[in-house]
Amino acid sequence: MNILMLSSTFPYPPTRGGTQVRTFNLLKYLQRNHRVTLVTQPEAGVTETEIAQLRDYVDELVLFNRPHDSGTTGGILKKVQRLTKFVSEGIPPSVLNRYSVDMQNWIDRHIEASKYDTITSEHSVNEIYVRPHFQKKVRTVVNVHSSVYGTCLNQLQNGISENSLRDKINLPLLRRYEKNYCGKFSAIVATTAEDKIQLQEFNAISEITVIANGVDLVMFPNRTADPGGHRLIFIGAMDNLANIDAVCFFCKEVLPEIQKLYPDTTFDIVGSRPVAEVLALKDNPGVNVTGKVPSMAEYLHKSTVCVVSMRTGFGIKNKTLEAMAAGIPVVGSDRGLEGLAVDGDNVELRAIRANKPQEYVSSISQLFENPQLRAELSHNARKLVEIEFTWESAGKRYEQVCLGK
């Protein structure tokens, strides 16, 4: 097949965040058996070397300039104008701000010329380029990644919205938006059963398939030894709102209590683009903010426990799967462990669940004290990833969706 993939996020190197990792690994799989054209927008900081390296994974790479993002600039008048446009046109500012007319014209021409069999929107932000009438010419697939309505609702419910008044106004608009755009697609892909339920509420007759994220087992090999000690780690892009909230919550409400019991406890915050709020956490005893590192697995292997203290964010977390693949015991919240069978009746214990500060303290202390429990979690978690969460298995399922099988 000839497959056209749309991604306003430049998906290389596949280490910058969940969207890039998922998009890259799925296109890498599809390219084995099909001709793949990727249309994307390199952001500031993408190098010519990275562009050249991405070309090796696609048959054709088409690049467009990313529009200047004015979504967070301007005074009250600009904000009112953006909201008015959202109400009248039904498209969120976060989508419109990345919209390229040149990219749209290129897509329109090639779809009208019947150049492709399938067009995929990698993340819902790219749905804007898929016109309703495209369904008559090609199979259209949207790889949602996460429900925008569900994410906004969750942030409001957990009190971590950046602007609660804005999000309360936007919530019904996002509900309408998600319901409308899903109707343009032949097939919808979600990452978790929870997202599927949310999307089916809007689109009861839609073809919706759950395809979980995966892990590159070469990039995240199983650890060869347990380092012991009292070293905690959190991994992820550190300009992401959910990750920022997770590490700030942990440093403020959990880490000091653990350090009362284990004074030498350290907490490594490992991930690219740390914002000022995250960098400021280095002032706390034992906290180390690394920024981007050459090998995430190397930092994981040095750690005693990986913390996934998420309080918001939908979907299976790549960070959780990567830690499990690397053989690092995980203590995570319901959000951090979403979509994963890690505990409960007739389930091998693969991670320990914690949501409240004292639950984190208790679980981490238990792991610090018990090397046998650490070994059990390490073994069981790695086995789960090998069986159910490889990019090979995700790619096979995505290929079937693209083929319409």
Side-chain angles (χ1 to χ4, degrees), residues 51-257:
I51 291 172
Q53 289 170 336
L54 181 57
R55 288 189 194 279
D56 292 338
Y57 293 97
V58 294
D59 294 278
E60 184 180 6
L61 180 62
V62 183
L63 304 177
F64 289 91
N65 292 329
R66 178 175 292 229
H68 174 66
D69 187 352
S70 60
T72 57
T73 61
I76 187 68
L77 180 59
K78 285 287 186 184
K79 291 178 181 179
V80 171
Q81 287 174 342
R82 286 195 290 268
L83 176 60
T84 302
K85 200 166 187 179
F86 190 5
V87 172
S88 62
E89 297 185 10
I91 302 173
S94 59
V95 176
L96 286 172
N97 290 332
R98 302 174 85 172
Y99 180 69
S100 164
V101 174
D102 290 340
M103 186 166 156
Q104 181 73 72
N105 291 337
W106 187 97
I107 294 165
D108 289 346
R109 287 197 310 273
H110 284 75
I111 295 299
E112 290 305 316
S114 300
K115 297 281 187 181
Y116 301 101
D117 304 299
T118 299
I119 180 171
T120 75
S121 167
E122 300 301 321
H123 199 291
S124 57
V125 74
N126 300 286
E127 64 75 23
I128 191 170
Y129 295 107
V130 179
R131 300 191 187 277
H133 71 266
F134 282 4
Q135 278 195 71
K136 297 175 183 177
K137 286 184 167 286
V138 297
R139 181 167 175 79
T140 54
V141 178
V142 59
N143 188 0
V144 173
H145 288 227
S146 63
S147 163
V148 289
Y149 168 77
T151 298
C152 182
L153 177 63
N154 180 250
Q155 288 174 354
L156 284 169
Q157 289 173 335
N158 285 282
I160 66 162
S161 170
E162 286 183 308
N163 185 328
S164 59
L165 176 60
R166 177 201 64 195
D167 286 349
K168 284 175 183 176
I169 294 170
N170 283 349
L171 192 63
L173 300 174
L174 287 171
R175 182 184 179 92
R176 181 186 67 177
Y177 164 70
E178 199 152 78
K179 182 174 183 177
N180 288 343
Y181 86 68
C182 283
K184 299 189 297 183
F185 290 89
S186 313
I188 300 168
V189 173
T191 60
T192 67
E194 185 174 11
D195 261 2
K196 179 178 179 178
I197 291 168
Q198 179 66 76
L199 293 166
Q200 272 186 327
E201 181 185 332
F202 301 149
N203 304 273
I205 63 172
S206 295
E207 175 191 328
I208 304 178
T209 305
V210 175
I211 301 178
N213 285 339
V215 181
D216 184 331
L217 297 180
V218 175
M219 190 178 293
F220 290 91
N222 198 3
R223 70 179 184 183
T224 56
D226 179 352
H230 305 128
R231 188 166 179 174
L232 304 174
I233 189 172
F234 181 98
I235 63 173
M238 292 319 305
D239 59 351
N240 175 277
L241 175 64
N243 290 342
I244 295 166
D245 174 75
V247 295
C248 289
F249 157 73
F250 190 83
C251 286
K252 179 182 177 182
E253 300 193 36
V254 181
L255 185 60
E257 299 304 312

Side-chain angles (χ1 to χ4, degrees), residues 18 26 45 127 162 168 237 264 326 331 378 382 405:
L26 293 177
E127 64 75 23
E162 286 183 308
K168 284 175 183 176
D264 64 338
V331 174
S378 175
R382 172 73 186 194
K405 292 185 177 180

Side-chain angles (χ1 to χ4, degrees), residues 215-385:
V215 181
D216 184 331
L217 297 180
V218 175
M219 190 178 293
F220 290 91
N222 198 3
R223 70 179 184 183
T224 56
D226 179 352
H230 305 128
R231 188 166 179 174
L232 304 174
I233 189 172
F234 181 98
I235 63 173
M238 292 319 305
D239 59 351
N240 175 277
L241 175 64
N243 290 342
I244 295 166
D245 174 75
V247 295
C248 289
F249 157 73
F250 190 83
C251 286
K252 179 182 177 182
E253 300 193 36
V254 181
L255 185 60
E257 299 304 312
I258 294 172
Q259 289 172 329
K260 288 178 184 177
L261 302 172
Y262 306 93
D264 64 338
T265 299
T266 60
F267 183 43
D268 290 337
I269 300 172
V270 183
S272 59
R273 306 183 299 276
V275 298
E277 191 176 358
V278 174
L279 290 171
L281 297 174
K282 289 192 291 185
D283 295 336
N284 295 350
V287 176
N288 176 37
V289 181
T290 69
K292 184 181 179 180
V293 297
S295 170
M296 196 76 83
E298 185 179 324
Y299 272 82
L300 285 166
H301 288 162
K302 293 176 183 176
S303 303
T304 321
V305 176
C306 181
V307 173
V308 191
S309 48
M310 315 294 290
R311 297 196 294 181
T312 187
F314 276 73
I316 291 177
K317 309 300 180 292
N318 282 354
K319 59 174 63 62
T320 308
L321 293 177
E322 289 164 357
M324 293 171 82
I328 315 309
V330 171
V331 174
S333 63
D334 291 339
R335 281 282 162 229
L337 301 175
E338 183 185 343
L340 302 174
V342 298
D343 54 9
D345 295 339
N346 303 315
V347 175
E348 291 181 324
L349 187 64
R350 293 151 174 161
I352 298 180
R353 197 175 298 273
N355 291 292
K356 298 176 182 177
Q358 191 51 48
E359 292 171 349
Y360 280 102
V361 174
S362 174
S363 299
I364 291 168
S365 298
Q366 190 180 5
L367 285 167
F368 280 172
E369 297 287 347
N370 192 335
Q372 186 174 342
L373 179 59
R374 294 199 301 271
E376 178 187 350
L377 291 185
S378 175
H379 173 77
N380 292 345
R382 172 73 186 194
K383 186 169 68 173
L384 174 69
V385 172

